[in-house]
Amino acid sequence: MEKLIIDGGVKLSGELEVYSAKNCVLALLAASVLTEKNVVIHNCPKITDVLNMIKILESLGSVVIWHGDTIVIDSSNISRFEIPSNYAKEIRSSLFLMGSLLSRFKKTKAAFPGGCDIGIRPIDLHLKGFRALNVTVKEEGGHIICNGQHARGGRIHLDFPSVGATENIMLAAILLKGKTTITNAAKEPEVVALQDFLNAMGAKVKGAGTDQIEIDGVKKLGAVEFTPIPDRIVAGTYLIAGAITHGELLIKNCCPKHLEALTDKLKNAVSKIAVFEKDIYIKADGDLISVPLTETQPYPGFPTDLQAQTLALQTVSKGSGIIVENIFETRYKHVAELTKMGANIVVKDKIALVRGVKNLHGAEVTAHDLRGGAALVLAGLCAVGRTEISDIKHIDRGYLNFDMALRSVGAKIERI
Ligand code: EPZ
């Protein structure tokens, strides 16, 4: 089992380039099976969630070829419409394939996705959406079986602006007769990028980025060549790495607008934040000032995927701060690990009270989920002494060469 070994205390300095967003690429991969023509996606990060999603596409009959960081997908010969159950449990985004397979084959089948370390993560909103499109959905033997023979456009109101449900319903509606309207839709940038990708293939989608999305069904889709949006969560994680080490970093090829909720908080916590068209500069040579209150919300609110990293920053900021995790039920698995490093955190339900300490000390800690694991790396970068992080497979799901990137700006971090 690989581990990360970090000797803390180095002020990071230099430039870090951001690559394409995991949560954008995963949705595009699911959408690629909608067309029989060639799909070209540039700048694809070779992270395990993406590699696993490609394996699922191949198990359905797609042909996927890498050319450097570009992938070319040919789904003309897809013959299966059932998502292999081992994968459905492995990665949740395999569920997005249900919408695409429904659209193209008018039927699909998948195992109920495993819960994961950040909550029960039901799929009731996905299935409610399919039923509103006149899809019959049966749940038997731990499987979901969908029949869309009589499916047609419809109107869906989402009780919660779920990203996955919004994307899945969009995909299910693309090739259906009639018009589909989704109200209280998720407004994440990844949803907007999916709309752009679908329209580039010849779909008729509008409204992504607002809480109402409209889809006019079309008969067939064409080819598409597309570059995904930069990963706002990786960019945010890098910014916090600069802050927590009192360093100075220029984060390149990101989309500052997507990070406004974070930079708005950081500008009162560090000595300097400067935002350019595609870059963000951070300098944290003074004290880190605690952020009084951080509440995770659907976009454009503060992203839940940056909660753990922000909490890590708070543990060594002057003063105390409250964090409220409103999106997932149990997204505080990193707290116990940070406490081993000397952090002063009290958690009650969805609220975490963090009192800043002078410094953390190195310890042997375990990553329990993707963003919590990233938070432990950030804590290790500023802790006095050596930190050993195990179960780093979680981190590799969403960060490409994380240790290599941090080493390039001075971090003493090794993968063993
Ligand atoms: C997407 O997950 C992201 N994953 C998550 O990123 C991200 O944290 C999340 O959106 C919120 O922004 C991908 O895009 C692959 P949701 P998703 O549906 O779609 C509840 C990461 O670290 N819910 O918006 O699963 C659900 O339980 C990952 O990159 C229902 O109740 O998130 C959760 O509490 C982690 N019923 C809340 O909504 C449903 O049918 C938000 O879930 C669906 C969701």
Side-chain angles (χ1 to χ4, degrees):
M1 296 272 273
E2 288 189 312
K3 284 185 177 177
L4 287 176
I5 310 290
I6 306 171
D7 291 319
V10 176
K11 294 180 175 19
L12 301 188
S13 82
E15 295 185 0
L16 284 170
E17 178 108 9
V18 179
Y19 40 84
S20 295
K22 160 176 93 81
N23 294 345
C24 175
V25 171
L26 293 173
L28 302 187
L29 288 172
S32 65
V33 302
L34 284 167
T35 181
E36 297 171 3
K37 305 292 184 204
N38 260 8
V39 168
V40 177
I41 303 175
H42 294 298
N43 296 0
C44 268
K46 291 187 176 67
I47 51 181
T48 37
D49 270 10
V50 168
L51 299 175
N52 278 336
M53 193 66 169
I54 289 173
K55 280 189 200 138
I56 299 174
L57 291 184
E58 289 172 332
S59 72
L60 297 175
S62 293
V63 175
V64 182
I65 300 167
W66 286 91
H67 299 276
D69 284 347
T70 294
I71 50 172
V72 179
I73 306 166
D74 171 359
S75 300
S76 53
N77 291 325
I78 276 197
S79 55
R80 292 168 49 86
F81 47 82
E82 179 175 346
I83 297 159
S85 53
N86 53 321
Y87 286 121
K89 294 190 184 310
E90 175 74 19
I91 62 163
R92 184 177 164 82
S93 52
S94 59
L95 279 172
F96 302 166
L97 272 167
M98 293 183 77
S100 303
L101 294 170
L102 262 176
S103 236
R104 182 149 168 204
F105 296 105
K106 309 299 177 231
K107 56 187 174 185
T108 185
K109 180 178 174 187
F112 254 99
C116 88
D117 282 304
I118 56 177
I120 47 174
R121 304 182 79 185
I123 57 167
D124 54 318
L125 299 176
H126 298 241
L127 304 184
K128 175 186 174 189
F130 291 165
R131 290 187 172 109
L133 301 177
N134 204 33
V135 173
T136 53
V137 180
K138 277 192 299 183
E139 298 164 31
E140 56 189 43
H143 279 82
I144 309 151
I145 299 149
C146 299
N147 180 334
Q149 291 306 331
H150 308 296
R152 43 104 188 96
R155 191 176 178 81
I156 298 113
H157 177 82
L158 290 177
D159 308 335
F160 178 85
S162 151
V163 174
T166 301
E167 293 173 344
N168 221 350
I169 296 161
M170 282 167 77
L171 295 171
I174 293 297
L175 297 174
L176 289 190
K177 278 189 304 304
K179 182 185 182 99
T180 295
T181 302
I182 308 170
T183 53
N184 196 25
K187 299 185 272 196
E188 270 71 2
E190 291 76 21
V191 176
V192 177
L194 179 61
Q195 170 179 280
D196 297 343
F197 180 80
L198 291 166
N199 288 341
M201 281 200 269
K204 290 198 175 73
V205 188
K206 61 179 191 281
T210 74
D211 60 9
Q212 177 154 327
I213 296 175
E214 292 180 358
I215 297 122
D216 285 315
V218 294
K219 284 203 174 19
K220 280 177 92 63
L221 294 172
V224 60
E225 179 165 359
F226 197 80
T227 299
I229 56 171
D231 196 311
R232 59 195 168 97
I233 306 303
V234 168
T237 307
Y238 285 166
L239 277 172
I240 296 173
I244 206 167
T245 60
H246 294 281
E248 181 177 12
L249 289 178
L250 181 65
I251 311 303
K252 296 178 71 66
N253 179 36
C254 63
C255 195
K257 179 162 176 20
H258 296 164
L259 278 155
E260 216 157 356
L262 176 68
T263 49
D264 181 55
K265 298 251 177 232
L266 285 179
K267 72 182 184 228
N268 304 320
V270 300
S271 37
K272 186 170 171 47
I273 282 252
V275 171
F276 306 95
E277 197 206 341
K278 286 182 177 274
D279 308 333
I280 302 177
Y281 169 82
I282 186 165
K283 184 177 175 119
D285 51 1
D287 282 340
L288 295 172
I289 311 302
S290 201
V291 175
L293 175 63
T294 304
E295 290 222 55
T296 64
Q297 297 293 352
Y299 191 88
F302 193 89
T304 173
D305 291 349
L306 284 172
Q307 175 260 103
Q309 301 91 316
T310 302
L311 193 150
L313 179 62
Q314 297 278 61
T315 64
V316 287
S317 298
K318 276 174 87 70
S320 57
I322 289 177
I323 291 183
V324 187
E325 173 52 65
N326 291 308
I327 308 294
F328 289 103
E329 304 84 26
T330 58
R331 203 171 194 173
Y332 283 128
K333 291 216 157 67
H334 40 286
V335 167
E337 306 301 319
L338 291 168
T339 306
K340 287 180 197 166
M341 300 175 73
N344 181 340
I345 310 164
V346 175
V347 171
K348 172 78 176 139
D349 298 332
K350 60 184 188 174
I351 296 173
L353 169 62
V354 187
R355 291 185 179 85
V357 294
K358 192 168 173 336
N359 53 51
L360 299 177
H361 51 75
E364 290 183 13
V365 292
T366 304
H368 294 292
D369 58 69
L370 166 56
R371 308 302 175 183
L376 298 179
V377 173
L378 299 177
L381 290 174
C382 74
V384 174
R386 174 162 287 194
T387 300
E388 262 190 41
I389 305 174
S390 48
D391 264 1
I392 59 172
K393 65 179 185 307
H394 292 290
I395 302 173
D396 293 336
R397 281 187 46 206
Y399 289 90
L400 180 67
N401 305 325
F402 196 26
D403 47 313
M404 200 187 294
L406 293 171
R407 256 197 313 279
S408 75
V409 285
K412 287 199 185 101
I413 177 170
E414 293 301 325
R415 176 184 290 256
I416 58 164

